[in-house]
Coordinates of all heavy atoms in Angstrom, one line a residue:
G344 N 4.3 -9.2 -0.1 CA 5.3 -8.5 0.6 C 5.6 -9.1 2.0 O 6.7 -9.1 2.4
Q345 N 4.5 -9.6 2.6 CA 4.7 -10.1 4.0 C 4.4 -11.5 4.2 O 4.6 -12.1 5.2 CB 3.7 -9.3 4.9 CG 3.9 -7.8 5.0 CD 3.0 -7.1 5.9 OE1 3.0 -7.3 7.1 NE2 2.2 -6.2 5.4
G346 N 3.9 -12.2 3.1 CA 3.6 -13.6 3.2 C 2.4 -14.0 4.1 O 2.3 -15.1 4.6
I347 N 1.5 -13.0 4.3 CA 0.3 -13.2 5.2 C -0.9 -13.5 4.3 O -1.4 -12.6 3.7 CB 0.1 -12.0 6.1 CG1 1.3 -11.9 7.1 CG2 -1.2 -12.2 6.9 CD1 1.3 -10.6 7.9
R348 N -1.3 -14.8 4.3 CA -2.4 -15.2 3.5 C -3.5 -16.0 4.3 O -4.7 -15.7 4.1 CB -1.9 -16.1 2.3 CG -0.9 -15.5 1.4 CD -0.3 -16.5 0.5 NE 0.7 -16.0 -0.4 CZ 0.4 -15.5 -1.6 NH1 -0.8 -15.6 -2.1 NH2 1.4 -15.0 -2.4
N349 N -3.1 -16.9 5.1 CA -4.0 -17.7 5.8 C -4.7 -17.0 7.0 O -5.9 -17.3 7.3 CB -3.3 -19.0 6.4 CG -2.7 -19.9 5.2 OD1 -3.3 -19.9 4.2 ND2 -1.6 -20.5 5.5
Q350 N -4.0 -16.2 7.7 CA -4.5 -15.6 8.9 C -5.8 -14.8 8.7 O -6.8 -14.9 9.4 CB -3.5 -14.6 9.6 CG -2.3 -15.4 10.1 CD -1.1 -15.4 9.1 OE1 -1.4 -15.5 7.9 NE2 0.1 -15.3 9.6
P351 N -5.9 -13.9 7.6 CA -7.2 -13.2 7.4 C -8.3 -14.2 7.1 O -9.5 -14.0 7.6 CB -6.9 -12.4 6.2 CG -5.4 -12.2 6.1 CD -4.9 -13.5 6.7
R352 N -8.0 -15.3 6.4 CA -9.1 -16.3 6.0 C -9.5 -17.0 7.3 O -10.7 -17.3 7.5 CB -8.5 -17.2 5.0 CG -8.4 -16.5 3.6 CD -7.6 -17.4 2.6 NE -7.7 -16.9 1.3 CZ -6.9 -15.9 0.8 NH1 -5.9 -15.4 1.5 NH2 -7.1 -15.5 -0.5
Q353 N -8.5 -17.3 8.2 CA -8.8 -17.9 9.4 C -9.8 -17.1 10.3 O -10.8 -17.6 10.8 CB -7.5 -18.2 10.2 CG -7.7 -18.7 11.6 CD -6.3 -18.8 12.3 OE1 -5.3 -19.0 11.7 NE2 -6.4 -18.7 13.7
L354 N -9.5 -15.8 10.3 CA -10.4 -14.9 11.1 C -11.8 -14.8 10.5 O -12.8 -14.8 11.2 CB -9.7 -13.5 11.1 CG -8.4 -13.4 11.9 CD1 -7.8 -12.0 11.7 CD2 -8.7 -13.6 13.4
L355 N -11.8 -14.7 9.1 CA -13.2 -14.6 8.5 C -14.0 -15.9 8.8 O -15.2 -15.8 9.0 CB -13.0 -14.4 7.0 CG -12.5 -13.1 6.5 CD1 -12.1 -13.1 5.1 CD2 -13.5 -12.0 6.9
R356 N -13.4 -17.0 8.7 CA -14.1 -18.3 9.0 C -14.6 -18.4 10.4 O -15.5 -19.2 10.8 CB -13.2 -19.5 8.7 CG -12.9 -19.7 7.2 CD -12.2 -21.0 6.9 NE -11.9 -21.1 5.5 CZ -10.7 -20.9 5.0 NH1 -9.7 -20.6 5.8 NH2 -10.5 -21.1 3.7
S357 N -13.9 -17.6 11.3 CA -14.3 -17.6 12.8 C -15.6 -16.8 13.0 O -16.2 -16.9 14.1 CB -13.2 -17.1 13.6 OG -13.0 -15.7 13.5
I358 N -16.0 -16.0 12.1 CA -17.2 -15.2 12.3 C -18.5 -16.0 12.1 O -18.7 -16.6 11.1 CB -17.2 -14.0 11.3 CG1 -16.0 -13.1 11.4 CG2 -18.5 -13.1 11.5 CD1 -15.9 -12.0 10.4
P359 N -19.4 -16.0 13.1 CA -20.6 -16.8 13.0 C -21.4 -16.4 11.8 O -21.7 -15.2 11.6 CB -21.3 -16.5 14.3 CG -20.3 -16.1 15.2 CD -19.3 -15.3 14.4
G360 N -21.8 -17.4 11.0 CA -22.7 -17.1 9.8 C -22.0 -16.7 8.5 O -22.6 -16.7 7.5
V361 N -20.7 -16.5 8.6 CA -19.9 -16.1 7.4 C -19.5 -17.3 6.6 O -19.0 -18.3 7.1 CB -18.7 -15.3 7.7 CG1 -17.7 -15.2 6.5 CG2 -19.1 -13.9 8.1
E362 N -19.9 -17.3 5.3 CA -19.4 -18.3 4.3 C -18.3 -17.7 3.5 O -18.6 -16.8 2.7 CB -20.6 -18.8 3.5 CG -20.2 -19.8 2.4 CD -21.3 -20.1 1.4 OE1 -22.3 -19.4 1.4 OE2 -21.0 -21.0 0.5
L363 N -17.1 -18.2 3.6 CA -16.0 -17.7 2.8 C -15.9 -18.4 1.5 O -15.7 -19.7 1.5 CB -14.7 -17.8 3.6 CG -13.4 -17.3 2.9 CD1 -13.5 -15.9 2.5 CD2 -12.2 -17.6 3.7
V364 N -16.0 -17.7 0.4 CA -15.9 -18.3 -1.0 C -14.6 -17.7 -1.6 O -14.5 -16.5 -1.8 CB -17.1 -18.0 -1.8 CG1 -17.0 -18.7 -3.2 CG2 -18.4 -18.4 -1.1
E365 N -13.7 -18.6 -2.0 CA -12.5 -18.1 -2.6 C -12.7 -17.8 -4.1 O -13.4 -18.5 -4.8 CB -11.4 -19.2 -2.6 CG -10.9 -19.5 -1.2 CD -10.0 -18.4 -0.7 OE1 -9.6 -17.5 -1.5 OE2 -9.6 -18.5 0.5
M366 N -12.2 -16.6 -4.5 CA -12.3 -16.2 -5.9 C -11.0 -16.7 -6.6 O -10.0 -17.0 -6.0 CB -12.4 -14.7 -6.0 CG -11.1 -13.9 -5.8 SD -11.2 -12.2 -6.2 CE -11.8 -11.5 -4.6
N367 N -11.1 -16.8 -7.9 CA -9.9 -17.1 -8.7 C -9.0 -15.9 -8.7 O -9.4 -14.8 -8.7 CB -10.3 -17.4 -10.2 CG -11.1 -18.7 -10.3 OD1 -10.9 -19.7 -9.6 ND2 -12.1 -18.7 -11.3
N368 N -7.7 -16.2 -8.6 CA -6.7 -15.2 -8.6 C -6.9 -14.2 -7.5 O -6.7 -13.0 -7.8 CB -6.7 -14.5 -10.0 CG -6.5 -15.5 -11.2 OD1 -5.6 -16.3 -11.2 ND2 -7.4 -15.4 -12.1
A369 N -7.2 -14.6 -6.3 CA -7.4 -13.7 -5.2 C -6.2 -12.9 -4.9 O -6.3 -11.8 -4.4 CB -7.8 -14.5 -4.0
D370 N -5.0 -13.4 -5.2 CA -3.8 -12.6 -4.8 C -3.2 -11.9 -6.0 O -2.1 -11.4 -6.0 CB -2.7 -13.5 -4.2 CG -2.2 -14.6 -5.2 OD1 -2.8 -14.7 -6.3 OD2 -1.2 -15.3 -4.9
S371 N -4.0 -11.7 -7.1 CA -3.6 -10.9 -8.2 C -4.0 -9.4 -7.9 O -5.0 -9.2 -7.3 CB -4.2 -11.3 -9.5 OG -5.6 -11.1 -9.6
C372 N -3.2 -8.5 -8.4 CA -3.4 -7.1 -8.1 C -4.8 -6.6 -8.6 O -5.2 -6.9 -9.7 CB -2.3 -6.2 -8.7 SG -2.3 -4.5 -8.1
C373 N -5.4 -5.7 -7.8 CA -6.7 -5.1 -8.1 C -6.4 -3.8 -9.0 O -7.4 -3.3 -9.5 CB -7.5 -4.8 -6.9 SG -6.7 -3.5 -5.8
G374 N -5.2 -3.3 -9.1 CA -4.9 -2.2 -9.9 C -4.8 -0.9 -9.1 O -4.6 0.2 -9.6
S375 N -4.9 -1.0 -7.7 CA -4.9 0.3 -6.9 C -3.4 0.8 -6.8 O -3.1 1.8 -7.3 CB -5.5 0.0 -5.5 OG -5.2 1.1 -4.7
A376 N -2.6 0.0 -6.1 CA -1.2 0.2 -6.1 C -0.8 1.6 -5.6 O -0.1 2.4 -6.4 CB -0.5 -0.1 -7.4
G377 N -1.3 2.0 -4.4 CA -1.0 3.4 -4.0 C -1.8 4.4 -4.7 O -3.0 4.5 -4.7
I378 N -1.1 5.2 -5.6 CA -1.7 6.2 -6.4 C -1.7 5.8 -7.9 O -1.9 6.7 -8.7 CB -1.1 7.6 -6.2 CG1 0.4 7.6 -6.5 CG2 -1.4 8.1 -4.8 CD1 1.0 9.0 -6.5
Y379 N -1.4 4.6 -8.1 CA -1.4 4.1 -9.5 C -2.7 4.3 -10.2 O -2.8 4.6 -11.4 CB -1.0 2.6 -9.5 CG -0.7 2.0 -10.9 CD1 0.6 2.0 -11.3 CD2 -1.7 1.5 -11.7 CE1 1.0 1.4 -12.6 CE2 -1.4 0.9 -13.0 CZ 0.0 0.9 -13.4 OH 0.3 0.3 -14.6
N380 N -3.8 4.2 -9.5 CA -5.1 4.3 -10.1 C -5.4 5.8 -10.5 O -6.5 6.1 -11.1 CB -6.3 3.8 -9.2 CG -6.2 4.3 -7.8 OD1 -5.5 5.2 -7.5 ND2 -7.0 3.6 -7.0
I381 N -4.5 6.7 -10.1 CA -4.6 8.1 -10.5 C -3.6 8.4 -11.6 O -3.9 9.0 -12.6 CB -4.4 9.0 -9.3 CG1 -5.6 8.8 -8.3 CG2 -4.4 10.5 -9.8 CD1 -5.4 9.6 -7.0
T382 N -2.4 7.9 -11.4 CA -1.3 8.2 -12.3 C -1.3 7.3 -13.6 O -0.8 7.7 -14.6 CB 0.1 8.0 -11.7 OG1 0.2 6.7 -11.2 CG2 0.2 9.0 -10.5
N383 N -1.9 6.1 -13.5 CA -2.0 5.2 -14.6 C -3.5 4.7 -14.7 O -3.7 3.5 -14.6 CB -1.1 4.0 -14.5 CG 0.4 4.4 -14.5 OD1 0.9 5.0 -13.5 ND2 1.1 4.1 -15.6
F384 N -4.4 5.6 -14.8 CA -5.8 5.3 -14.6 C -6.3 4.3 -15.6 O -7.0 3.3 -15.2 CB -6.6 6.6 -14.8 CG -8.1 6.4 -14.7 CD1 -8.7 6.3 -13.5 CD2 -8.9 6.4 -15.8 CE1 -10.1 6.1 -13.3 CE2 -10.3 6.2 -15.7 CZ -10.9 6.0 -14.5
D385 N -6.0 4.4 -16.9 CA -6.6 3.4 -17.8 C -6.1 2.0 -17.6 O -6.9 1.0 -17.6 CB -6.2 3.8 -19.3 CG -7.0 5.1 -19.7 OD1 -8.0 5.4 -19.2 OD2 -6.4 5.8 -20.6
M386 N -4.8 1.8 -17.3 CA -4.3 0.5 -17.0 C -4.9 0.0 -15.7 O -5.2 -1.2 -15.6 CB -2.8 0.5 -16.9 CG -2.1 -0.8 -16.6 SD -2.3 -2.1 -17.8 CE -1.1 -1.5 -19.0
S387 N -5.0 0.8 -14.7 CA -5.6 0.4 -13.5 C -7.0 -0.1 -13.6 O -7.4 -1.1 -13.1 CB -5.6 1.6 -12.5 OG -6.3 1.3 -11.3
M388 N -7.8 0.6 -14.4 CA -9.2 0.2 -14.6 C -9.3 -1.0 -15.4 O -10.2 -1.9 -15.2 CB -10.0 1.4 -15.3 CG -10.1 2.6 -14.4 SD -11.0 2.3 -12.8 CE -9.6 2.4 -11.6
Q389 N -8.4 -1.2 -16.3 CA -8.4 -2.5 -17.1 C -8.1 -3.7 -16.2 O -8.8 -4.7 -16.3 CB -7.3 -2.3 -18.2 CG -7.3 -3.4 -19.3 CD -6.3 -3.1 -20.4 OE1 -6.0 -1.9 -20.7 NE2 -5.6 -4.1 -20.9
I390 N -7.2 -3.5 -15.3 CA -6.9 -4.6 -14.4 C -8.0 -4.8 -13.4 O -8.4 -5.9 -13.1 CB -5.6 -4.2 -13.6 CG1 -4.4 -4.3 -14.6 CG2 -5.3 -5.2 -12.4 CD1 -3.1 -3.7 -14.0
L391 N -8.6 -3.7 -13.0 CA -9.8 -3.8 -12.0 C -10.9 -4.5 -12.7 O -11.6 -5.4 -12.0 CB -10.2 -2.4 -11.6 CG -11.4 -2.3 -10.7 CD1 -11.3 -3.1 -9.4 CD2 -11.8 -0.8 -10.4
D392 N -11.3 -4.2 -13.9 CA -12.4 -4.8 -14.6 C -12.2 -6.3 -14.7 O -13.2 -7.1 -14.5 CB -12.6 -4.2 -16.0 CG -13.1 -2.8 -15.9 OD1 -13.6 -2.4 -14.8 OD2 -13.0 -2.0 -16.9
H393 N -11.0 -6.8 -15.0 CA -10.7 -8.2 -15.0 C -10.8 -8.8 -13.6 O -11.3 -10.0 -13.5 CB -9.3 -8.5 -15.6 CG -9.2 -8.2 -17.1 ND1 -8.0 -7.8 -17.7 CD2 -10.2 -8.2 -18.0 CE1 -8.3 -7.6 -19.0 NE2 -9.5 -7.9 -19.2
K394 N -10.4 -8.1 -12.6 CA -10.5 -8.6 -11.2 C -12.0 -8.8 -10.9 O -12.4 -9.7 -10.2 CB -9.9 -7.6 -10.3 CG -10.2 -7.8 -8.8 CD -9.7 -9.1 -8.3 CE -8.2 -9.2 -8.2 NZ -7.8 -10.5 -7.6
M395 N -12.8 -7.8 -11.3 CA -14.3 -7.9 -11.0 C -15.0 -9.1 -11.7 O -16.0 -9.6 -11.2 CB -15.0 -6.6 -11.4 CG -14.6 -5.4 -10.5 SD -14.8 -5.7 -8.7 CE -16.6 -6.0 -8.6
D396 N -14.4 -9.6 -12.8 CA -14.9 -10.8 -13.4 C -14.8 -12.0 -12.4 O -15.7 -12.8 -12.3 CB -14.2 -11.1 -14.7 CG -14.6 -10.1 -15.8 OD1 -15.6 -9.5 -15.7 OD2 -13.8 -10.0 -16.8
D397 N -13.6 -12.0 -11.8 CA -13.4 -13.1 -10.8 C -14.3 -12.9 -9.5 O -14.8 -13.9 -9.0 CB -11.9 -13.1 -10.4 CG -11.0 -13.6 -11.5 OD1 -11.4 -14.4 -12.3 OD2 -9.9 -13.1 -11.5
V398 N -14.5 -11.6 -9.2 CA -15.3 -11.3 -8.0 C -16.8 -11.8 -8.3 O -17.4 -12.4 -7.4 CB -15.3 -9.8 -7.6 CG1 -16.4 -9.5 -6.6 CG2 -13.9 -9.5 -7.1
K399 N -17.3 -11.4 -9.4 CA -18.7 -11.7 -9.8 C -19.0 -13.2 -9.8 O -20.1 -13.7 -9.4 CB -19.1 -11.1 -11.1 CG -19.3 -9.6 -11.1 CD -19.8 -9.1 -12.4 CE -18.7 -8.9 -13.4 NZ -19.1 -8.2 -14.6
S400 N -18.0 -14.0 -10.2 CA -18.2 -15.4 -10.2 C -18.4 -16.1 -8.9 O -18.9 -17.2 -8.8 CB -17.0 -16.1 -10.9 OG -15.8 -16.0 -10.2
T401 N -18.0 -15.4 -7.8 CA -18.2 -15.9 -6.4 C -19.6 -15.7 -5.9 O -20.0 -16.4 -4.9 CB -17.2 -15.3 -5.4 OG1 -17.6 -13.9 -5.3 CG2 -15.8 -15.4 -5.9
K402 N -20.4 -14.8 -6.5 CA -21.7 -14.5 -6.1 C -21.7 -14.0 -4.6 O -22.7 -14.3 -3.8 CB -22.7 -15.6 -6.3 CG -22.9 -15.9 -7.8 CD -23.9 -17.1 -8.0 CE -24.2 -17.3 -9.4 NZ -23.1 -17.5 -10.3
A403 N -20.7 -13.4 -4.2 CA -20.5 -12.9 -2.8 C -21.3 -11.7 -2.5 O -21.6 -10.9 -3.4 CB -19.1 -12.7 -2.5
N404 N -21.7 -11.5 -1.2 CA -22.4 -10.2 -0.8 C -21.3 -9.2 -0.4 O -21.6 -8.0 -0.5 CB -23.2 -10.4 0.4 CG -24.2 -11.6 0.3 OD1 -24.0 -12.6 1.0 ND2 -25.1 -11.5 -0.6
V405 N -20.1 -9.7 0.0 CA -19.1 -8.8 0.5 C -17.7 -9.1 0.0 O -17.4 -10.3 -0.1 CB -19.1 -8.8 2.1 CG1 -18.0 -7.9 2.6 CG2 -20.4 -8.5 2.7
I406 N -17.0 -8.1 -0.5 CA -15.6 -8.3 -0.8 C -14.8 -7.7 0.4 O -15.0 -6.6 0.8 CB -15.2 -7.5 -2.0 CG1 -16.1 -7.7 -3.2 CG2 -13.7 -7.8 -2.4 CD1 -15.8 -6.8 -4.4
V407 N -14.0 -8.5 1.0 CA -13.2 -8.1 2.1 C -11.7 -8.0 1.7 O -11.2 -8.8 0.9 CB -13.3 -9.2 3.2 CG1 -12.4 -8.8 4.4 CG2 -14.7 -9.3 3.7
T408 N -11.1 -6.9 2.2 CA -9.6 -6.8 1.9 C -9.0 -6.2 3.2 O -9.7 -5.9 4.2 CB -9.4 -5.9 0.7 OG1 -8.0 -5.9 0.4 CG2 -9.9 -4.5 0.9
S409 N -7.7 -6.0 3.1 CA -6.9 -5.6 4.3 C -6.0 -4.4 4.0 O -4.9 -4.3 4.6 CB -6.0 -6.7 4.8 OG -6.8 -7.8 5.2
N410 N -6.4 -3.5 3.1 CA -5.6 -2.4 2.7 C -6.5 -1.3 2.2 O -7.4 -1.5 1.5 CB -4.6 -2.8 1.6 CG -3.6 -1.7 1.4 OD1 -2.8 -1.4 2.2 ND2 -3.5 -1.2 0.2
P411 N -6.3 0.0 2.7 CA -7.2 1.0 2.3 C -7.3 1.3 0.8 O -8.3 1.6 0.3 CB -6.6 2.3 3.1 CG -5.2 1.9 3.4 CD -5.2 0.4 3.6
G412 N -6.1 1.3 0.1 CA -6.1 1.5 -1.3 C -6.9 0.4 -2.0 O -7.7 0.7 -3.0
C413 N -6.7 -0.8 -1.6 CA -7.5 -1.9 -2.2 C -9.0 -1.7 -2.0 O -9.8 -2.0 -2.8 CB -7.1 -3.3 -1.7 SG -5.3 -3.6 -1.9
L414 N -9.3 -1.3 -0.8 CA -10.7 -1.1 -0.4 C -11.4 -0.1 -1.3 O -12.5 -0.3 -1.8 CB -10.8 -0.7 1.1 CG -12.2 -0.5 1.6 CD1 -13.1 -1.7 1.4 CD2 -12.1 -0.1 3.1
L415 N -10.7 1.1 -1.5 CA -11.3 2.1 -2.4 C -11.4 1.6 -3.8 O -12.4 1.8 -4.5 CB -10.4 3.4 -2.4 CG -10.4 4.2 -1.1 CD1 -9.4 5.3 -1.2 CD2 -11.8 4.8 -0.9
Q416 N -10.4 0.8 -4.3 CA -10.4 0.3 -5.6 C -11.6 -0.7 -5.8 O -12.2 -0.7 -6.8 CB -9.1 -0.4 -5.9 CG -8.9 -0.9 -7.3 CD -8.5 0.2 -8.3 OE1 -8.7 1.4 -8.1 NE2 -7.9 -0.2 -9.4
M417 N -11.8 -1.6 -4.8 CA -12.8 -2.6 -4.9 C -14.2 -1.9 -4.9 O -15.2 -2.4 -5.5 CB -12.7 -3.6 -3.8 CG -11.4 -4.4 -3.8 SD -10.9 -5.0 -5.5 CE -12.3 -6.1 -5.9
R418 N -14.3 -0.8 -4.1 CA -15.6 -0.1 -4.1 C -15.8 0.5 -5.5 O -17.0 0.5 -6.0 CB -15.6 1.1 -3.1 CG -15.7 0.6 -1.7 CD -15.6 1.8 -0.7 NE -15.6 1.4 0.7 CZ -15.3 2.2 1.7 NH1 -14.9 3.4 1.5 NH2 -15.4 1.8 2.9
Q419 N -14.8 1.0 -6.1 CA -14.9 1.5 -7.5 C -15.2 0.4 -8.5 O -16.0 0.6 -9.4 CB -13.6 2.2 -7.9 CG -13.6 2.8 -9.3 CD -14.6 4.0 -9.4 OE1 -15.1 4.5 -8.4 NE2 -14.8 4.4 -10.7

Side-chain angles (χ1 to χ4, degrees):
Q345 301 181 59
I347 297 174
R348 300 168 181 269
N349 295 329
Q350 295 93 326
R352 291 170 167 85
Q353 174 186 331
L354 293 172
L355 289 171
R356 292 190 183 100
S357 72
I358 302 174
V361 163
E362 177 190 5
L363 178 62
V364 183
E365 290 287 352
M366 75 171 88
N367 292 327
N368 306 309
D370 65 351
S371 68
C372 188
C373 65
S375 172
I378 58 172
Y379 190 93
N380 51 9
I381 296 174
T382 60
N383 297 71
F384 179 76
D385 290 335
M386 177 66 75
S387 173
M388 293 300 106
Q389 192 172 323
I390 292 168
L391 175 60
D392 290 342
H393 289 153
K394 168 63 68 174
M395 291 307 299
D396 290 338
D397 290 327
V398 170
K399 283 186 283 189
S400 67
T401 68
K402 296 180 171 57
N404 311 113
V405 181
I406 310 170
V407 175
T408 189
S409 299
N410 191 61
C413 301
L414 182 55
L415 288 173
Q416 184 83 337
M417 299 314 297
R418 287 177 182 169
Q419 182 64 14

